[in-house]
Amino acid sequence: MSKLNWGMVGGGAGSQIGPAHRLGAGLDGAFAFAAGALDHVPDAGRAYAQSLGVAPDRAYGDWREMLEGERVRDDRVDLVTVATPNATHYEITKAFLEAGFHVLCEKPMTMTVEEGEEIVRIASATGRICAVNYGYTGYSLVRHMRAMVARGDLGRVRLVVAEFAHGHHANAADADNPRVRWRYDPAQAGVSAQFADCGIHALHMASFVTCQEVASLSADFASCVESRTLEDDAMVNFRMEGGAVGRLWTSSVAIGRQHGLTLQVFGEAGGLRWTQEQPNQLYWTPLGGRVQTIERGEAGLSPEADRASRVTIGHAEGMPLAFANIYADLAEVIRAAKEGRVPDPAADLYPRAEDGLRSMAAVHGAVASAGRQGAWVDARPPMFRAP
């Protein structure tokens, strides 16, 4: 089976996220790294792409050059990953979708709700995939949590508790470090810092696992490092369309926390707990029973979990393999469309443009709520609200 062609915008030398995407896209042999515009400095981007094996005529100086070069090729890329600074996501994603390319965009998909709604409409009108890289939903046991909820193991879900807290921006003396400062600069980060950067991962995971969307929320933001304009700590209470209550804490000043992405789901008949730093274990407690440890790779898991498990039980799987599961989903869906068949249902789990839009609506809703001393606000995008 021939490989699909893959291209990347951003993610150049020194990028935090670029290597994880390249590892994820290449892991299964489904994608060939065929084209790239990897740096805002054209010559540096061309040179780095070629050092990674991209042919010179497909190592582009910027995304516009890549768009024009690829759109006329018979072997044009099947999927474009957008891994550039946040403020550029909308423009680049929109242009590639309109030109007929499938896109995987890093989060946040857009900076405004209005831009997010436009991306959803464009993806629908063109029939192109617009996926958003909520990559942690690629973990095998996160997918098993979703399957357990869906088949009723927990009964009705009552409560979801999500966290994404780290302490890597806690040093006030480091506030002027360019790698830190931009995250709290409204001109570069938008209306929110920590909630838009990390909190929406936890919020999306809550929706992904419970299959319930966030309907309303109440937020409290704090800038614990006083020089920051945007928040470095947030507490968000939310209520979901299916009736579940949610609590979310996200922070970048929690000294001692390294990554801190944790999800707990409590239903009428049992509870689940999973943390990203120990992703091979899922803790399940049935009502009236003892805590049970579900191991990634063990027998009897759901098809969704089995498809997303890559190495034998007892061996660690990490973030690049979770990303690889998102790419495997996309490869299966793209191939199925090319071949005129229905894709594997267990692959139909990649986050969509609609998820990116809901996240942006939640961000703007949380900012509005925090500005009104925690008033409850509608967290849904206008296009998804009942008339």
Side-chain angles (χ1 to χ4, degrees), residues 39-310:
D39 200 291
H40 69 284
V41 178
D43 288 344
R46 293 188 186 100
Y48 190 60
Q50 290 179 60
S51 76
L52 296 173
V54 175
D57 65 326
R58 302 181 81 173
Y60 299 103
D62 60 45
W63 69 266
R64 291 181 178 85
E65 182 181 301
M66 177 173 162
L67 176 62
E68 293 308 311
E70 289 298 309
R71 72 192 311 169
V72 298
R73 295 183 68 103
D74 292 334
D75 61 345
R76 63 191 241 161
V77 290
D78 296 286
L79 175 69
V80 176
T81 293
V82 178
T84 55
N86 295 356
T88 66
H89 289 177
Y90 164 72
E91 180 183 21
I92 300 171
T93 297
K94 177 177 182 288
F96 276 96
L97 285 174
E98 289 178 332
F101 293 90
H102 300 300
V103 176
L104 171 59
C105 182
E106 262 300 330
K107 44 65 53 184
M109 182 178 75
T110 62
M111 301 290 277
T112 71
V113 176
E114 293 77 14
E115 290 173 349
E117 291 190 331
E118 186 174 3
I119 292 295
V120 169
R121 293 190 185 100
I122 292 169
S124 177
T126 60
R128 299 293 89 184
I129 292 169
C130 181
V132 183
N133 191 43
Y134 293 107
Y136 302 112
T137 61
Y139 278 105
S140 174
L141 290 180
V142 171
R143 296 184 170 198
H144 189 61
M145 291 176 79
R146 177 186 170 104
M148 290 181 70
V149 170
R151 70 192 185 195
D153 292 8
L154 282 72
R156 180 177 64 87
V157 174
R158 293 168 169 167
L159 175 65
V160 182
V161 179
E163 294 184 3
F164 198 154
H166 66 83
H168 300 302
H169 300 162
N171 187 352
D174 201 35
D176 285 332
N177 180 335
R179 293 179 67 87
V180 174
R181 186 178 61 234
W182 76 267
R183 298 177 183 273
Y184 304 93
D185 177 4
Q188 299 181 73
V191 297
S192 169
Q194 181 60 19
F195 184 60
D197 186 28
C198 294
I200 58 173
H201 273 297
L203 193 69
H204 175 263
M205 188 174 287
S207 290
F208 178 82
V209 167
T210 63
C211 295
Q212 296 187 37
E213 302 296 346
V214 176
S216 60
L217 59 79
S218 167
D220 180 43
F221 283 7
S223 297
C224 296
V225 175
E226 295 179 357
S227 63
R228 289 174 179 157
T229 303
L230 299 177
E231 86 287 352
D232 51 23
D233 187 274
M235 180 66 75
V236 180
N237 294 313
F238 58 94
R239 294 184 180 273
M240 308 186 85
E241 292 178 345
V245 175
R247 315 293 187 211
L248 187 154
W249 171 51
T250 185
S251 183
S252 64
V253 295
I255 296 172
R257 290 291 190 97
Q258 296 302 320
H259 189 267
L261 177 59
T262 300
L263 185 69
Q264 299 177 84
V265 183
F266 304 103
E268 296 172 318
L272 291 167
R273 176 169 55 89
W274 179 86
T275 181
Q276 196 269 161
E277 291 178 72
Q278 289 83 40
N280 274 13
Q281 289 78 40
L282 171 63
Y283 299 98
W284 160 239
T285 308
L287 180 66
R290 295 181 175 180
V291 178
Q292 302 173 23
T293 302
I294 298 173
E295 291 282 349
R296 183 207 52 76
E298 70 181 34
L301 298 186
S302 60
E304 295 87 344
D306 289 341
R307 187 177 187 277
S309 186
R310 296 171 172 278

